[in-house]
Amino acid sequence: MQNFKAMVLLQIIISIFLFLSQASSQGIGDKSNVPEYAWLAGNWSGNGFGGTSEESWSLPSPDGTMMGMYRHLDSMGNITFYEFLLLDETGIRLKHFRPDLIGWETKEDFVTFEMVRYNGKIIELKGLIFKRKSENEMEILLKLRKGDVVKTEVFTMKKINKLK
């Protein structure tokens, strides 16, 4: 009976040790878990839609999800709309809001951009592309459809500060 208790205790100790060593090897500080699209993290500002575009992206969570916020100001400096965004390996999901925070989409609906590919220089989604031009510059290409006409809006963005 004493040997049985000792064996069970030893198995529990080994299980805890294996769990803790695996958990620490998968921590946020482990660069091997950082998704290749993490270069987007930080605050960006640039042009687009005839005004100023500002975009902020969080660092990735342990599951690789990044949270983003966007706001557009017209040429007079008035806010025209906001966006709340989620990026992961499947793509981007976003909701639009008017300046008074009333949503464009219904409560259950959101806009999606399905992931095509990503790496340290590009995040290509169906209808939306983020191109990393340098450490502090990127270009965003957004395809817009109005009836049968497809137009590409180009945003030239500069990083205004980095997240660590």
Side-chain angles (χ1 to χ4, degrees):
M1 184 73 165
Q2 195 110 6
N3 284 343
F4 176 75
K5 286 182 181 179
M7 285 187 59
V8 169
L9 182 60
L10 182 60
Q11 285 179 333
I12 290 172
I13 291 171
I14 290 171
S15 296
I16 291 171
F17 174 78
L18 290 173
F19 172 77
L20 291 175
S21 65
Q22 182 180 11
S24 68
S25 71
Q26 294 177 353
I28 296 174
D30 183 0
K31 298 293 184 196
S32 66
N33 288 338
V34 176
E36 289 181 285
Y37 49 79
W39 60 264
L40 194 57
N43 298 306
W44 301 84
S45 184
N47 59 18
F49 293 129
T52 302
S53 293
E54 298 174 347
E55 196 160 290
S56 296
W57 286 95
S58 69
L59 292 168
S61 64
D63 71 356
T65 301
M66 293 176 67
M67 173 183 60
M69 297 174 290
Y70 171 90
R71 76 174 173 184
H72 180 263
L73 295 93
D74 66 18
S75 60
M76 302 297 289
N78 300 309
I79 296 172
T80 58
F81 69 95
Y82 298 100
E83 292 176 349
F84 182 80
L85 308 99
L86 293 176
L87 167 66
D88 63 21
E89 64 186 15
T90 66
I92 288 181
R93 295 175 307 280
L94 70 88
K95 283 190 170 273
H96 296 91
F97 298 90
R98 297 185 334 200
D100 58 5
L101 291 181
I102 293 176
W104 290 6
E105 295 83 17
T106 64
K107 208 180 342 181
E108 296 81 18
D109 291 333
F110 47 87
V111 176
T112 60
F113 293 93
E114 186 179 326
M115 186 67 76
V116 174
R117 68 185 171 108
Y118 58 87
N119 59 42
K121 295 187 183 253
I122 192 167
I123 303 166
E124 183 179 351
L125 306 119
K126 289 184 180 176
L128 179 64
I129 299 173
F130 295 81
K131 289 183 179 178
R132 185 180 193 182
K133 298 295 193 176
S134 72
E135 184 73 22
N136 297 313
E137 296 175 307
M138 78 166 157
E139 188 175 76
I140 303 171
L141 296 97
L142 172 63
K143 290 190 181 194
L144 301 166
R145 178 182 296 277
K146 192 169 190 174
D148 292 337
V149 178
V150 177
K151 175 188 163 202
T152 300
E153 182 74 23
V154 178
F155 302 79
T156 305
M157 309 290 281
K158 293 199 182 291
K159 191 173 269 190
I160 52 178
N161 71 358
K162 296 180 196 178
L163 298 178
K164 304 223 184 225

